[in-house]
Amino acid sequence: MGASQQEQGPLRVALLGCGVVGSEVARLLTQQSADLASRVGAPLELVGIAVRDASAPRPLAESVDRSLLTEDAEGLVARADIVIEVMGGIEPARALLLRAIEAGAAVVTANKALLAEDGPTLYKAADTAGVDIYFEAAVAGAIPIVRPVRESLAGDSVRRILGIVNGTTNYVLDQMASTGMSFDDAVRQAQDLGYAEADPTADVEGFDAAAKAAILASLAFHTRVSLEDVAREGITRITADDVAWAAQTGHVIKLLAIAESVTDDDGSHGVSVRVHPALVPVAHPLAGVRGAFNAVFVEADAAGELMFYGRGAGGAPTASAVLGDVVSAARHRVLGGKGPEESTYAALPILPASTAVTRYQVRLAVDDRPGVLAQVAQVLASKGVSIEAVRQPSEAAAPGADDTHGADGGSTGVAHLVITTHAAAEAALAATVDAIAVLEPVREITSVLRVEGA
Ligand code: HSE
């Protein structure tokens, strides 16, 4: 450690995985090798690329020597100073990273699923071995957000993180909003463009966003948060009508990952982490995040509001984050020092999502006769939920109102109400909706969406 550039031999870099991200990591490592050597103070030598089938065709940049491909991942990690894992999945990624750490290598991983499921095992192993573990690419691709939360904000107190951390779902919702297309058509389009997988479950059901939320929450609140601590709801139930109604009321629908400090009824302080679709006011910076882009909005005591924006997926953007981590780990090899260890000193309880304070927008179809609105308002009052606005749009203006017309085109006496509440505990809001649903003049609760970022 601490050797001068003249004394320092090459640092051996092993790459595990050579898909969309891995091939870009290999390209950048080789094409930028001179710059990287100058930034690190030693050459970075790519010594192997572990893949399942070395004979399979794959698009590799000309700068990358194909003879580096190997099916012997274990042998490769044993001879590396820095191991980059971009293969994904839990195994064999976990076993290979642990083996690398135990052998004294620094590790860089983009594996959000592994970190959200079993990050503490890896962090502990890295602490014990005294090596770096970096994972900027695991959350929101190219966007620097792990390092800012882990290091730049280490002297502040984070109150809340609101993130659009899944590009596929943001693309789907944005397409629905801008064209009026259905959820299924928008997913098909996202698949055609290569954003969504053939099986889009991990994205549209919020699993990918939940893993990222767990990682960010752990860092922001110095508390272990795993995937199972995250309350999760995807976007599969969002309809074209929901999206149109959102626009009518001055909102856009986004899949948000929310990690925040909360206090429950007993005064206990804790952390709530949730992923769900939400109405975001059009004036909020997150509302302007279009297409497959990601953004993370952070509220901290001293810093105030911060927003990080960029590409959350894709080969080159994700490789950018990986390479930044590789340079950090490599500099420590040359100059000494070490990146931050896992910080869990706060060990806050994970409080259920029902303790979170939010706002609801409820759409309902009711009999159109005197006194119905008063009945609904009475339920809200009895639950201590304050109304911010009630809208009863004319039928012509109501998205989806066609279904309230009889076969002859005449009105069947149905009115649509859109009720937006002030902030209240999620549990009180949910109980209010349940109580409204059983009122005699209420025909249907058409949708319930949370309003965030107001
Ligand atoms: N599938 C993710 C997305 C990228 O759509 O943002 C990888 O986490």
Side-chain angles (χ1 to χ4, degrees), residues 142-180:
I143 303 175
I145 184 64
V146 168
R147 194 173 270 99
V149 173
R150 201 184 189 194
E151 300 186 44
S152 317
L153 290 168
D156 204 336
S157 294
V158 173
R159 290 262 163 239
R160 188 153 117 115
I161 294 180
L162 283 181
I164 296 171
V165 292
N166 182 269
T168 302
T169 46
N170 203 55
Y171 177 83
V172 166
L173 293 169
D174 190 36
Q175 279 301 103
M176 291 173 76
S178 55
T179 69

Coordinates of all heavy atoms in Angstrom, one line a residue, residues 142-180:
A142 N -26.8 4.8 -13.7 CA -25.7 5.8 -13.8 C -25.8 6.9 -12.7 O -24.8 7.6 -12.5 CB -25.7 6.5 -15.2
I143 N -26.9 7.0 -12.1 CA -27.1 8.2 -11.2 C -26.3 8.0 -9.9 O -26.4 6.9 -9.2 CB -28.6 8.3 -10.7 CG1 -29.5 8.5 -12.0 CG2 -28.8 9.5 -9.8 CD1 -31.0 8.5 -11.6
P144 N -25.4 8.9 -9.6 CA -24.7 8.8 -8.3 C -25.7 9.1 -7.2 O -26.2 10.2 -7.0 CB -23.6 9.9 -8.4 CG -23.7 10.4 -9.8 CD -25.0 10.1 -10.3
I145 N -26.1 8.0 -6.5 CA -27.0 8.2 -5.3 C -26.5 7.4 -4.1 O -26.7 7.8 -3.0 CB -28.5 7.8 -5.7 CG1 -29.4 8.1 -4.6 CG2 -28.6 6.4 -6.2 CD1 -29.5 9.5 -4.2
V146 N -25.9 6.2 -4.4 CA -25.4 5.5 -3.2 C -24.3 6.3 -2.5 O -24.3 6.5 -1.3 CB -24.8 4.1 -3.7 CG1 -24.0 3.4 -2.6 CG2 -26.0 3.2 -4.1
R147 N -23.3 6.8 -3.3 CA -22.2 7.5 -2.7 C -22.7 8.8 -2.0 O -22.3 9.1 -0.9 CB -21.1 7.8 -3.7 CG -19.8 8.3 -3.1 CD -18.7 8.4 -4.1 NE -17.9 7.2 -4.3 CZ -18.1 6.3 -5.3 NH1 -19.0 6.4 -6.2 NH2 -17.3 5.2 -5.3
P148 N -23.5 9.6 -2.6 CA -24.1 10.8 -2.0 C -24.8 10.5 -0.6 O -24.6 11.2 0.4 CB -25.1 11.4 -3.0 CG -24.5 11.0 -4.3 CD -23.9 9.6 -4.1
V149 N -25.6 9.4 -0.6 CA -26.3 9.1 0.6 C -25.3 8.5 1.7 O -25.3 8.8 2.8 CB -27.5 8.1 0.4 CG1 -28.1 7.6 1.7 CG2 -28.5 8.8 -0.5
R150 N -24.4 7.7 1.2 CA -23.5 7.0 2.1 C -22.4 7.9 2.6 O -21.9 7.7 3.7 CB -22.8 5.8 1.3 CG -22.3 4.7 2.0 CD -21.6 3.7 1.0 NE -21.2 2.5 1.6 CZ -20.4 1.6 1.0 NH1 -20.0 1.9 -0.3 NH2 -20.1 0.5 1.5
E151 N -21.9 8.8 1.7 CA -20.8 9.6 2.1 C -21.1 11.1 2.2 O -20.9 11.8 3.2 CB -19.6 9.4 1.1 CG -19.2 7.9 1.2 CD -18.0 7.6 0.3 OE1 -17.0 8.4 0.4 OE2 -18.0 6.6 -0.4
S152 N -21.6 11.7 1.1 CA -21.8 13.2 1.1 C -22.8 13.6 2.1 O -22.7 14.7 2.7 CB -22.3 13.6 -0.3 OG -21.6 13.0 -1.3
L153 N -23.8 12.8 2.4 CA -24.8 13.2 3.4 C -24.6 12.6 4.8 O -25.4 12.6 5.7 CB -26.2 12.8 2.9 CG -26.7 13.7 1.7 CD1 -28.0 13.1 1.1 CD2 -27.0 15.1 2.1
A154 N -23.4 12.0 5.0 CA -23.1 11.3 6.2 C -23.1 12.3 7.4 O -23.2 11.8 8.6 CB -21.7 10.6 6.1
G155 N -23.0 13.5 7.2 CA -23.0 14.5 8.3 C -24.4 15.1 8.5 O -24.5 16.0 9.3
D156 N -25.3 14.7 7.7 CA -26.7 15.3 7.8 C -27.7 14.3 8.3 O -27.3 13.1 8.6 CB -27.1 15.8 6.4 CG -28.1 16.9 6.3 OD1 -28.8 17.0 7.3 OD2 -28.1 17.6 5.3
S157 N -28.9 14.6 8.4 CA -29.9 13.7 8.8 C -31.0 13.6 7.7 O -31.7 14.6 7.4 CB -30.7 14.1 10.1 OG -29.8 14.1 11.2
V158 N -31.0 12.5 7.0 CA -32.0 12.3 5.9 C -33.4 12.1 6.6 O -33.5 11.3 7.5 CB -31.6 11.1 5.1 CG1 -32.7 10.8 4.0 CG2 -30.3 11.4 4.4
R159 N -34.4 12.8 6.1 CA -35.7 12.7 6.6 C -36.5 11.7 5.7 O -37.3 10.9 6.1 CB -36.4 14.0 6.5 CG -35.9 15.0 7.5 CD -36.8 15.0 8.8 NE -36.1 15.6 9.9 CZ -35.9 14.9 11.0 NH1 -36.3 13.7 11.2 NH2 -35.2 15.5 12.0
R160 N -36.3 11.9 4.4 CA -37.2 11.2 3.4 C -36.5 11.0 2.1 O -35.8 11.9 1.6 CB -38.4 12.0 3.3 CG -39.5 11.4 2.5 CD -40.8 12.0 3.0 NE -41.5 12.7 2.0 CZ -42.7 12.4 1.5 NH1 -43.3 11.3 2.0 NH2 -43.3 13.1 0.6
I161 N -36.7 9.9 1.5 CA -36.2 9.7 0.1 C -37.4 9.3 -0.7 O -38.2 8.4 -0.4 CB -35.1 8.6 0.0 CG1 -33.9 9.0 0.8 CG2 -34.8 8.2 -1.4 CD1 -32.8 8.0 0.7
L162 N -37.6 10.0 -1.9 CA -38.7 9.6 -2.8 C -38.0 9.3 -4.1 O -37.4 10.2 -4.7 CB -39.6 10.8 -3.1 CG -40.7 11.3 -2.1 CD1 -41.4 12.5 -2.6 CD2 -41.7 10.2 -1.8
G163 N -38.1 8.1 -4.6 CA -37.4 7.8 -5.8 C -38.2 7.2 -6.9 O -39.1 6.4 -6.7
I164 N -37.9 7.6 -8.2 CA -38.4 6.9 -9.3 C -37.2 6.0 -9.7 O -36.2 6.6 -10.3 CB -38.8 7.8 -10.5 CG1 -40.0 8.6 -10.1 CG2 -39.1 7.0 -11.8 CD1 -40.4 9.8 -11.0
V165 N -37.2 4.8 -9.3 CA -35.9 4.0 -9.4 C -36.1 2.8 -10.3 O -35.3 1.9 -10.4 CB -35.4 3.5 -8.0 CG1 -34.9 4.7 -7.2 CG2 -36.5 2.7 -7.3
N166 N -37.2 2.8 -11.1 CA -37.4 1.7 -12.1 C -37.8 2.4 -13.4 O -38.9 3.0 -13.5 CB -38.5 0.7 -11.6 CG -38.6 -0.4 -12.6 OD1 -39.5 -0.3 -13.5 ND2 -37.8 -1.4 -12.5
G167 N -36.9 2.3 -14.4 CA -37.2 2.9 -15.7 C -38.3 2.3 -16.5 O -39.0 3.0 -17.2
T168 N -38.4 1.0 -16.4 CA -39.4 0.3 -17.2 C -40.8 0.8 -16.8 O -41.6 1.2 -17.6 CB -39.4 -1.2 -16.9 OG1 -38.1 -1.6 -17.3 CG2 -40.4 -2.0 -17.7
T169 N -41.1 0.9 -15.5 CA -42.4 1.3 -15.0 C -42.6 2.8 -15.3 O -43.7 3.2 -15.6 CB -42.7 1.0 -13.6 OG1 -41.5 1.4 -12.8 CG2 -42.9 -0.5 -13.3
N170 N -41.6 3.6 -15.2 CA -41.7 5.0 -15.5 C -42.1 5.2 -17.0 O -42.9 6.0 -17.4 CB -40.5 5.8 -15.2 CG -40.8 7.2 -14.9 OD1 -41.7 7.6 -14.1 ND2 -40.2 8.1 -15.7
Y171 N -41.4 4.3 -17.8 CA -41.7 4.4 -19.3 C -43.2 4.0 -19.5 O -43.9 4.7 -20.3 CB -40.8 3.5 -20.1 CG -41.1 3.5 -21.5 CD1 -40.6 4.4 -22.4 CD2 -42.0 2.5 -22.1 CE1 -41.0 4.5 -23.7 CE2 -42.3 2.5 -23.4 CZ -41.8 3.5 -24.2 OH -42.2 3.5 -25.6
V172 N -43.6 2.9 -18.9 CA -45.0 2.5 -19.1 C -46.0 3.5 -18.7 O -46.9 3.9 -19.4 CB -45.2 1.1 -18.3 CG1 -46.7 0.8 -18.2 CG2 -44.4 0.0 -19.0
L173 N -45.8 4.1 -17.5 CA -46.8 5.1 -17.0 C -46.7 6.4 -17.8 O -47.7 7.0 -18.1 CB -46.4 5.4 -15.5 CG -46.7 4.3 -14.5 CD1 -46.1 4.6 -13.2 CD2 -48.2 4.0 -14.4
D174 N -45.5 6.7 -18.3 CA -45.4 7.9 -19.1 C -46.1 7.7 -20.5 O -46.7 8.7 -21.0 CB -43.9 8.2 -19.3 CG -43.6 9.6 -19.9 OD1 -44.4 10.5 -19.6 OD2 -42.7 9.7 -20.7
Q175 N -45.9 6.6 -21.0 CA -46.6 6.3 -22.3 C -48.1 6.3 -22.1 O -48.8 6.8 -23.0 CB -46.2 4.9 -22.9 CG -44.9 4.9 -23.6 CD -44.9 5.9 -24.8 OE1 -44.3 6.9 -24.7 NE2 -45.5 5.5 -25.8
M176 N -48.6 5.7 -21.0 CA -50.0 5.8 -20.8 C -50.5 7.2 -20.7 O -51.6 7.6 -21.2 CB -50.4 5.0 -19.5 CG -50.1 3.5 -19.6 SD -50.3 2.6 -18.0 CE -52.1 2.6 -17.8
A177 N -49.7 8.0 -20.0 CA -50.1 9.4 -19.8 C -50.1 10.2 -21.1 O -50.9 11.1 -21.4 CB -49.2 10.1 -18.7
S178 N -49.1 10.0 -21.9 CA -48.9 10.9 -23.1 C -49.7 10.4 -24.3 O -50.0 11.2 -25.2 CB -47.4 11.0 -23.4 OG -46.8 9.8 -23.6
T179 N -50.1 9.1 -24.3 CA -50.8 8.6 -25.5 C -52.2 8.1 -25.1 O -53.0 7.9 -26.0 CB -50.1 7.5 -26.2 OG1 -50.2 6.3 -25.3 CG2 -48.6 7.8 -26.5
G180 N -52.5 7.9 -23.9 CA -53.8 7.3 -23.5 C -53.9 5.8 -23.7 O -54.9 5.2 -23.5

